[in-house]
Amino acid sequence: MHITGIELKNWRNFKSASVAIQTDVVYLVGPNASGKSNFLDALRFVRDIAKPIGGGLQTALKERGGFSKVRCLHSRGNRAGGGTDLMVKLSLQDNDTSWVYDLGINLPIVGRRDVPQVVREKVVRDGVEILDRPKKEVVEDPEQLAVTYLEQAAQNGEFRPLATFFAAITYVHLVPQLVKFGERISGHLLPDDPFGQAFMKRIADTANRTREARLKKISDALKGIVPGLDGLAFEKDGEGRPHIEMRYQTYRPHAARQLEDQLSDGTLRLIALLWLLQEKHIAPLLLEEPELSLNEEIVRKLHRIFDKISRRANNQLFVTTHSYALLSNPGIAGESIFKVEPSNDGSRIIGPTEAEMNAIKNGFPPADVVLSKEPQLAFDI
């Protein structure tokens, strides 16, 4: 199943946004604080509602600071026309089956003003509406409006493939220091581990044969990048802690070795990224700025890696980036790129213009076409 369209209304930066998606790898570009991460968070929000353990509408809102924190500031005002409802609408394609999930929420006009309610939840399958709520009987029992049918196994039977798909969306923004020292850091581990604190455990929990095959592919990919690399191996120390060991060819009979806490941030981040891309994802993988800590020449090759792996695994990737090097790859189709632009009436998200599409098709690097120069910061000293 793949996402083919995203429509947002009054969601964070976006008073209104709508995109049609035609590719397996999607790039979101734009200046800082324009809303790239917030756009991805709409997908994470639906995931958090659908999660079978620890999910649900009220939990998803609470984790984001409450309804007022996710509703667009530009949407405040008279509710007479329903203008302040928050909406996330997703279109999807699963082989020959098309789906639409449309969710609208708001604070009630009367009653408990602290509990957001479902004002619209619709599911359409192959053009036929199979869910349309709330109905009159539900409106007369407001407690039912505090939850979605998406999160209830007793209610989502007809569209459970959507619930399963949404719950499997994966978000990753790897922090090398957490990957290095995750086993030594005590404290709370965030749900879904978005920053890689439990990455070493993730490797340890993988079946031996699968783990060795993935490390072999990563090692082969890195040999043209890391001088003297002989290979990667998995091991546990005397206390049972898992480690990645990088081995180097030297003049000595036994190869030099480094564990993950001795590797550069860029090398470790690339290893973790290549590992995650090899995992089987039945739903999109959301990547935040994968170019961070990486050498520019490596970044130039990332799109080819993304494209090859997504095609092989039939996965869909959504990637936020600032990187000229990443978007300079001529293999990136114009349809893959969406620009997030701030405005006085909320951020907007747009694809390349017809002229920009033609330029990309005629061989111009996508980065030269779609990336605008950001203003220089001025400091008074």
Side-chain angles (χ1 to χ4, degrees), residues 6-19 28-40 71-75 338-351:
I6 302 174
E7 186 176 348
L8 305 178
K9 179 182 176 184
N10 299 325
W11 172 263
R12 294 194 182 269
N13 300 58
F14 301 94
K15 187 175 181 180
S16 179
S18 179
V19 296
L28 298 169
V29 303
N32 289 327
S34 60
K36 299 186 299 297
S37 296
N38 287 340
F39 189 83
L40 288 188
R71 185 175 61 176
C72 180
L73 292 174
H74 296 276
S75 72
F338 294 95
K339 296 182 285 185
V340 183
E341 298 180 345
S343 75
N344 293 330
D345 196 32
S347 294
R348 58 181 189 152
I349 181 166
I350 56 175

Side-chain angles (χ1 to χ4, degrees), residues 31-206:
N32 289 327
S34 60
K36 299 186 299 297
S37 296
N38 287 340
F39 189 83
L40 288 188
D41 193 46
L43 299 179
R44 296 170 62 197
F45 178 65
V46 177
R47 176 202 67 184
D48 291 347
I49 294 173
K51 285 193 299 189
I53 299 176
L57 175 61
Q58 301 305 323
T59 299
L61 288 169
K62 183 179 179 180
E63 288 178 347
R64 289 163 174 78
F67 182 73
S68 64
K69 300 296 185 182
V70 297
R71 185 175 61 176
C72 180
L73 292 174
H74 296 276
S75 72
R76 309 300 167 85
N78 187 357
R79 283 194 55 186
T84 60
D85 292 350
L86 184 155
M87 182 191 77
V88 177
K89 182 178 180 181
L90 302 177
S91 301
L92 309 99
Q93 188 71 33
D94 183 12
N95 295 321
D96 295 329
T97 303
S98 64
W99 295 91
V100 175
Y101 181 76
D102 182 2
L103 176 66
I105 59 175
N106 211 333
L107 293 173
I109 298 176
V110 296
R112 290 192 60 185
R113 296 275 298 154
D114 60 329
V115 180
Q117 293 183 345
V118 175
V119 296
R120 181 181 62 263
E121 187 176 21
K122 294 185 178 183
V123 177
V124 179
R125 181 180 58 206
D126 289 335
V128 178
E129 194 170 77
I130 61 175
L131 175 67
D132 182 14
R133 63 185 296 248
K135 299 294 187 182
K136 180 180 177 181
E137 60 271 18
V138 177
V139 175
E140 293 172 351
D141 183 7
E143 293 296 322
Q144 296 185 44
L145 299 178
V147 295
T148 64
Y149 276 18
L150 182 68
E151 67 201 73
Q152 302 178 70
Q155 303 288 356
N156 66 22
E158 284 194 86
F159 57 96
R160 192 159 299 150
L162 287 186
T164 301
F165 176 83
F166 292 151
I169 291 173
T170 303
Y171 170 80
V172 180
H173 188 26
L174 290 166
V175 179
Q177 287 75 17
L178 287 179
V179 177
K180 289 180 180 181
F181 306 113
E183 286 287 322
R184 306 179 197 176
I185 299 173
S186 60
H188 180 63
L189 179 65
L190 292 177
D192 305 304
D193 187 34
F195 306 119
Q197 184 176 345
F199 178 71
M200 298 308 301
K201 183 177 185 302
R202 192 185 196 112
I203 295 178
D205 291 343
T206 302

Side-chain angles (χ1 to χ4, degrees), residues 255-279:
R257 303 178 179 188
Q258 287 183 326
L259 298 183
E260 72 280 346
D261 60 355
Q262 299 170 292
L263 301 178
S264 70
D265 287 355
T267 300
L268 186 57
R269 205 166 196 271
L270 185 57
I271 290 172
L273 181 61
L274 292 174
W275 176 279
L276 290 169
L277 288 170
Q278 290 185 79
E279 292 183 342

